[in-house]
Amino acid sequence: MNKIKDVQFTETVLRDAHQSLMATRLKTEEMLPILEKMDKVGYHAIECWGGATFDASIRFLNEDPWERLREIKKRMKHTPLQMLLRGQNLLGYRHYADDIVDKFIEKSIENGIDIIRVFDALNDSRNMEACVKAVKKYGGHVQLTICYTISPIHTIDYYKKLTKRLDELGADSICIKDMAGILTPFVVKKLIPAIKEVTSLPIEVHTHATSGISEMTYLTAVQVGADIIDTAISPFSGGTSQPATESLSIVLTELGYETHLKKDILEEIADYFKPIKDHYLKEMILDPKMMTVDPKALIYQVPGGMLSNLYSQLKQANAQERYEEVLREVPKVREDLGFPPLVTPMSQMIGTQAVFNVLSGERYKMIPNEIKDYVRGLYGTPPAPINESIRKIIIGNDEVITGRPADLLEPEFEKQKKEIKAIAKTDEDILIYAMFPQLGETFLKEKYQSKKIINKEVIRINAVM
């Protein structure tokens, strides 16, 4: 008798699903009432933090991301909590010194994170080293990531060698992260067996429904040995998000796999999120355009979150009609710059450069500082050499560094602590400031000022009573 194969599910609704569909606008108060039910489903993990949630919480929602994590953990007694971390970039958009990386991971685990999925936008494993060391130090599970992309150099052999490096670096599991929904069944059928030749670690597959092939990719991935898949509860599934949790659970169960998911509770969770989705549709925060399948993703290789950001940039510039033109420019810029995978922060950087190239009417007339730093080697080594003529346009004869970028950085936690000591009350506050100095300082001032106002009001009321 054949042994029933387990397929584990990681639920993304609290992080990547709403990040991909509506720029990470789900509020903590909308999450909390359903968490205890989610904890009973039988998920392998719930991805609830990291990625853009930290930034969006303080920038748009006036919420403390650390407080969100603590509140989620209070209600999640059984299911591991997972976060997405951008390697040496943490949750910001630059490389941070190793002491900041260590402190951030210490506090993430202390406040409730169990699994930290670490990726580097260039698949440069040197930019994951400090993260691995810290996660091991503080007792977490470190999942190292292959950012999947397509180019002449991103071959099966390339991914096989990368997997071997990540295994040797100390990964507890490996994630194949397909940001753009371009991992086809044909490729995954070759990729996973090849990876399993060089590692015995659990393999998780993450994709998006953007191009319309995600369910087929997951089914094939499971058939050839994937252990875990990432899905989103149905109201926040599809389009630029992940495929639906319930649908895949039903199909895989019928095929003889054990998913460990309680389908009756999944229905209750879906019913809870339906009116929340309707609210955001009505408020036009969730753009219906992001809910539709776009096979052009297979051509342009643009991730869902990047699609929504590009559209938003063009909308602000009153140039929505140039959306397709920008999409065509993205792969050209990517080729010029050494075929970096389109994942944060590279997706934003490449996307912004493509927008500038189209709107200015001249390629590389306007160049963001981040692109200049990337070309100088400050983000790591590009997968392929940068076009020499483009390099000269961007940085002239400036030196290009070849070492680990973080080796150039002095320890900075104590410096950040001194700068914000008049406002910050905890290490978590200091880390908010370290990630986003101006935004963080404003947020912390408002956070503690509003608490003073509330406390004075409570004193006044008590005095009257």
Side-chain angles (χ1 to χ4, degrees), residues 342-386:
L342 292 177
V343 65
T344 303
M346 291 310 306
S347 53
Q348 288 88 337
M349 289 158 58
I350 297 292
T352 299
Q353 186 64 65
V355 169
F356 284 176
N357 286 358
V358 168
L359 296 187
S360 69
E362 183 183 334
R363 301 187 81 233
Y364 301 104
K365 181 180 180 181
M366 297 168 62
I367 303 165
N369 287 330
E370 292 82 0
I371 290 286
K372 292 177 183 177
D373 286 344
Y374 164 71
V375 174
R376 290 186 183 106
L378 294 175
Y379 285 84
T381 302
I386 290 170

Side-chain angles (χ1 to χ4, degrees), residues 81-85 104-106 108-109 113-118 131 135 140-144:
L81 299 185
Q82 180 173 303
M83 72 170 291
L84 181 68
L85 198 69
F104 194 93
I105 287 173
E106 177 191 3
S108 297
I109 292 172
I113 290 298
D114 302 289
I115 301 169
I116 300 184
R117 177 180 291 174
V118 180
C131 293
V135 178
H141 174 114
V142 60
Q143 182 178 84
L144 296 185

Side-chain angles (χ1 to χ4, degrees), residues 19-21 23 290 303-313 323:
Q19 176 175 322
S20 296
L21 291 173
M290 297 302 114
M306 186 177 171
L307 284 171
S308 54
N309 282 336
L310 286 176
Y311 189 75
S312 177
Q313 282 185 53
Y323 182 61

Side-chain angles (χ1 to χ4, degrees), residues 76-346:
M76 290 281 178
K77 306 294 185 187
H78 309 289
T79 311
L81 299 185
Q82 180 173 303
M83 72 170 291
L84 181 68
L85 198 69
R86 301 169 188 151
Q88 204 79 29
N89 284 19
L90 297 175
L91 300 178
Y93 301 96
R94 67 170 176 89
H95 277 199
Y96 296 89
D98 288 345
D99 66 328
I100 292 278
V101 171
D102 182 88
K103 181 64 73 174
F104 194 93
I105 287 173
E106 177 191 3
K107 290 301 172 183
S108 297
I109 292 172
E110 183 183 301
N111 280 278
I113 290 298
D114 302 289
I115 301 169
I116 300 184
R117 177 180 291 174
V118 180
F119 75 90
D120 176 68
L122 301 177
N123 284 324
D124 188 336
S125 59
R126 300 172 305 169
N127 293 332
M128 305 184 203
E129 290 172 5
C131 293
V132 173
K133 186 177 177 182
V135 178
K136 298 283 186 184
K137 179 179 175 182
Y138 298 110
H141 174 114
V142 60
Q143 182 178 84
L144 296 185
T145 305
I146 296 164
C147 290
Y148 178 77
T149 189
I150 298 169
S151 84
I153 67 148
H154 289 94
T155 61
I156 296 294
D157 191 53
Y158 167 93
Y159 290 119
K160 197 172 172 179
K161 288 175 180 173
L162 175 58
T163 301
K164 195 167 186 297
R165 286 204 306 275
L166 299 183
D167 191 325
E168 291 168 352
L169 194 57
D172 294 309
S173 60
I174 299 286
C175 175
I176 302 169
K177 181 176 171 62
D178 173 27
M179 310 76 66
I182 57 175
L183 179 60
T184 64
F186 176 78
V187 173
V188 88
K189 199 171 184 177
K190 295 186 290 182
L191 180 60
I192 289 177
I195 284 173
K196 282 185 169 277
E197 287 176 16
V198 296
T199 186
S200 58
L201 295 172
I203 305 296
E204 184 156 358
V205 183
H206 172 95
T207 191
H208 290 251
T210 318
S211 66
I213 64 170
S214 55
E215 291 88 353
M216 292 184 283
T217 295
Y218 274 158
L219 177 57
T220 306
V222 168
Q223 289 171 338
V224 296
D227 302 287
I228 313 158
I229 56 175
D230 289 6
T231 59
I233 201 75
S234 55
F236 281 91
S237 71
T240 53
S241 176
Q242 281 71 52
T245 305
E246 308 98 298
S247 307
L248 277 156
S249 176
I250 291 166
V251 169
L252 290 172
T253 301
E254 281 186 349
L255 289 171
Y257 295 92
E258 175 56 70
T259 69
H260 302 280
L261 300 182
K262 295 181 175 64
K263 294 177 181 59
D264 55 338
I265 304 180
L266 285 176
E267 287 182 28
E268 293 181 54
I269 295 166
D271 288 341
Y272 174 81
F273 279 108
K274 281 173 187 171
I276 294 174
K277 174 187 177 180
D278 291 341
H279 164 73
Y280 284 107
L281 277 168
K282 187 178 177 182
E283 295 295 314
M284 298 179 71
I285 293 169
L286 200 167
D287 192 324
K289 191 177 179 70
M290 297 302 114
M291 301 295 298
T292 57
V293 166
D294 186 1
K296 287 180 181 175
L298 294 168
I299 301 168
Y300 302 131
Q301 303 166 26
V302 177
M306 186 177 171
L307 284 171
S308 54
N309 282 336
L310 286 176
Y311 189 75
S312 177
Q313 282 185 53
L314 291 169
K315 201 171 180 179
Q316 289 171 13
N318 199 26
Q320 301 97 305
E321 75 282 355
R322 307 195 75 176
Y323 182 61
E324 294 288 335
E325 199 178 339
V326 169
L327 286 184
R328 288 193 293 272
E329 177 65 11
V330 167
K332 295 174 186 174
V333 172
R334 187 170 165 257
E335 182 175 359
D336 289 341
L337 299 181
F339 294 107
L342 292 177
V343 65
T344 303
M346 291 310 306

